[in-house]
Amino acid sequence: MPQTAKILIVEDDAHIRRLLHATMQRAGYDVVEAAAARQALSLLDIERPDVVLLDLGLPDRDGLELIEPIRLRSAATLIVVTARDESAEKVAALDLGADDYVTKPFDTEELLARIRTALRHQRAIAAGELVTVVEAGDVHIDMDRRRVTRDGSEVHLTPKEYGVLVELAKRPDRVLSHAQLLRTVWGPAHVERVEYLRIVVRGLRQKLEKDPARPRLIVNELAVGYRLLLREAG
Amino acid sequence: MPQTAKILIVEDDAHIRRLLHATMQRAGYDVVEAAAARQALSLLDIERPDVVLLDLGLPDRDGLELIEPIRLRSAATLIVVTARDESAEKVAALDLGADDYVTKPFDTEELLARIRTALRHQRAIAAGELVTVVEAGDVHIDMDRRRVTRDGSEVHLTPKEYGVLVELAKRPDRVLSHAQLLRTVWGPAHVERVEYLRIVVRGLRQKLEKDPARPRLIVNELAVGYRLLLREAG
DNA sequence: GGCGAGGATCAGCGCGCTGCTCATGGCTCA
DNA sequence: TGAGCCATGAGCAGCGCGCTGATCCTCGCC
């Protein structure tokens, strides 16, 4: 990542586009803008932005359909801007791979704060400051060595099991949606196959939980997803 | 935002206008006033107030029609002044983008308190803080981790309960109309089903309130909507 | 070529969340 | 003080959702 971060604005309304452009420039970012999908994708390759601001625009789902190609093509943080404040759309956007979600009319300062957070996160990853060892109860996860131990003795995990566990361990205590886990471990084509995920979670629980029937490590959030609990709290 | 906040008063009745002007000045705010719509909009650009006090006035809907242009043109907090028994008008104002309302004859102290909370909120955002944690009494809401605790111990919420609570927490101390909550949590097809909302609110109260029969956290605004109170005031 | 492990499917089951209705109670206003 | 609206409370039925068990298939290893 260069000194000054680069932001790609994807927005069809020229007025808002100029407004965002000016705001971002004033905040010290390099700015590139695109008014349409094709342009956005090619700029993604050429300019390699650190953050993409994607306006979903109004009535169609065109904007949503842009999320996946962007995600496949770039590691940039993808922030979605939309006028519709509905949880269903938010869930859809995050499931397709968006990193954050802001609703219009948005507060400029809030948007800038979210961009700062995203960039801070990127820098932490780039600097290798990422936690690679996670302790959850008596389970020890070493993502560097690809080793998982329980009470000191190694636990053998299948590739899928390990993949899911690592995703959970990278963001401990947070809920990851079914789709998020499925997309990163199985790939975008399988986001709907919740059954696969459940089977793998079952395997993990049998290998890692004291009482697999009463999970305290990998817990479910109804209709949302799974979460890895660090401290075994009641 | 400058040291002393600036307030724009939009009010056609000269008598009330002077009264409000004096009250605000005595409270230490800079005051600008407008008697008509056009004047209000141009002053908005020139003076860039932090708060707009908009009197919806009497019989016509001119006042309501001012809300949207103000909202588009400015990030100011928009507080509407309405007549007592016009709950439909309050709902309309909120849905159009007003931040809050007070009813005539209004309590000066209440009005000032509303303005103070609005300014506090603005300052937090301007400082670049991304608010993801809200404290309301002994209830702790962490929107980042999707976790709610009461007196330190975790409270399990259902998806709908969590959705409603988050919407309220994102705009603490403000009224959200039934329709606003229903649209964001249930989706636009269910804006009429106030019953659903009520049942979820009941669940939240039973889990979060000390005395669910006398709510101090999630309080009702008659015929309008609900409000999440931060400080448990009488 | 046989065997075992992992992954993909499918059917069955039970919990509890959600949706919905009826009954009760409180607040406003005439 | 009574009428009417609006909010609250309780109970119930359906089913969405998560979990389990079992089977088939594929691939790698011996």
Side-chain angles (χ1 to χ4, degrees), chain B residues 202 205-206 208-216 218:
Chain B
R202 167 171 40 137
R205 282 173 174 164
Q206 275 168 352
L208 300 178
E209 298 270 3
K210 279 172 186 148
D211 181 359
R214 282 189 199 82
R216 294 174 165 274
I218 303 174

Side-chain angles (χ1 to χ4, degrees), chain B residues 172-183:
Chain B
D173 279 328
R174 279 190 36 184
V175 188
L176 295 188
S177 74
H178 298 138
Q180 284 176 314
L181 290 167
L182 284 161
R183 183 161 8 86

Side-chain angles (χ1 to χ4, degrees), chain B residues 1-9 21 23-32 47-52 76-77 112 114-123:
Chain B
M1 185 153 43
Q3 293 302 67
T4 63
K6 189 183 286 184
I7 300 186
L8 170 62
I9 299 171
H21 194 133
T23 309
M24 296 304 142
Q25 251 176 357
R26 210 176 313 126
Y29 299 116
D30 285 349
V31 182
V32 197
E47 301 280 352
R48 311 217 135 268
D50 304 293
V51 175
V52 177
T77 299
L112 288 173
R114 293 281 158 78
I115 292 175
R116 275 195 299 274
T117 51
L119 289 174
R120 199 186 323 132
H121 193 233
Q122 280 187 20
R123 292 216 168 83

Side-chain angles (χ1 to χ4, degrees), chain A residues 114-190:
Chain A
R114 285 178 192 271
I115 291 174
R116 276 196 299 276
T117 309
L119 290 173
R120 205 182 314 131
H121 192 231
Q122 280 186 22
R123 294 214 169 85
I125 292 177
E129 292 166 12
L130 213 57
V131 186
T132 55
V133 174
V134 174
E135 295 277 354
D138 55 359
V139 174
H140 179 96
I141 307 166
D142 185 334
M143 295 186 246
D144 267 346
R145 298 200 173 76
R146 204 195 179 282
R147 263 186 70 145
V148 177
T149 58
R150 181 185 168 193
D151 288 330
S153 59
E154 181 156 6
V155 179
H156 172 71
L157 297 182
T158 72
K160 299 280 181 203
E161 284 170 354
Y162 183 76
V164 171
L165 184 62
V166 163
E167 283 308 309
L168 290 169
K170 281 202 275 194
R171 299 188 125 95
D173 255 355
R174 283 194 37 184
V175 183
L176 296 190
S177 75
H178 300 135
Q180 275 177 300
L181 290 166
L182 284 160
R183 183 160 34 78
T184 51
V185 179
W186 276 264
H190 298 80

Side-chain angles (χ1 to χ4, degrees), chain B residues 158-160 186 196 199:
Chain B
T158 72
K160 299 280 180 207
W186 275 265
Y196 301 174
I199 294 184

Side-chain angles (χ1 to χ4, degrees), chain B residues 3-216:
Chain B
Q3 293 302 67
T4 63
K6 189 183 286 184
I7 300 186
L8 170 62
I9 299 171
V10 186
E11 163 70 66
D12 55 344
D13 180 325
H15 177 64
I16 304 184
R17 198 166 64 235
R18 273 200 298 275
L19 182 76
L20 280 172
H21 194 133
T23 309
M24 296 304 142
Q25 251 176 357
R26 210 176 313 126
Y29 299 116
D30 285 349
V31 182
V32 197
E33 38 176 79
R38 277 195 53 182
Q39 193 189 357
L41 289 179
S42 64
L43 278 178
L44 211 60
D45 293 334
I46 299 167
E47 301 280 352
R48 311 217 135 268
D50 304 293
V51 175
V52 177
L53 267 188
L54 172 64
D55 193 315
L56 292 189
L58 277 166
D60 50 6
R61 290 179 50 100
D62 285 358
L64 278 179
E65 282 160 14
L66 247 183
I67 293 177
E68 236 181 313
I70 291 177
R71 188 31 87 243
L72 286 175
R73 201 174 296 226
S74 157
T77 299
L78 177 54
I79 299 179
V80 157
V81 182
T82 70
R84 167 154 290 288
D85 49 358
E86 287 295 330
S87 60
E89 197 178 55
K90 296 174 191 169
V91 173
L94 291 177
D95 288 348
L96 284 170
D99 293 289
D100 208 341
Y101 63 80
V102 288
T103 51
K104 276 192 285 198
F106 51 83
D107 183 341
T108 312
E109 275 314 313
E110 191 185 336
L111 179 55
L112 288 173
R114 293 281 158 78
I115 292 175
R116 275 195 299 274
T117 51
L119 289 174
R120 199 186 323 132
H121 193 233
Q122 280 187 20
R123 292 216 168 83
I125 290 178
E129 301 163 17
L130 202 51
V131 185
T132 57
V133 173
V134 174
E135 296 277 356
D138 55 359
V139 174
H140 178 99
I141 307 165
D142 186 334
M143 297 187 250
D144 213 26
R145 295 209 167 79
R146 199 189 188 281
R147 178 168 285 181
V148 178
T149 58
R150 181 186 167 194
D151 287 330
S153 61
E154 181 156 4
V155 179
H156 173 71
L157 297 181
T158 72
K160 299 280 180 207
E161 284 169 355
Y162 183 76
V164 170
L165 184 63
V166 163
E167 284 309 309
L168 290 169
K170 282 201 287 198
R171 293 170 174 78
D173 279 328
R174 279 190 36 184
V175 188
L176 295 188
S177 74
H178 298 138
Q180 284 176 314
L181 290 167
L182 284 161
R183 183 161 8 86
T184 55
V185 179
W186 275 265
H190 298 80
V191 275
E192 313 264 293
R193 321 310 293 271
V194 193
E195 331 92 58
Y196 301 174
L197 177 60
R198 287 207 253 265
I199 294 184
V200 168
V201 168
R202 167 171 40 137
L204 281 171
R205 282 173 174 164
Q206 275 168 352
K207 289 172 182 174
L208 300 178
E209 298 270 3
K210 279 172 186 148
D211 181 359
R214 282 189 199 82
R216 294 174 165 274

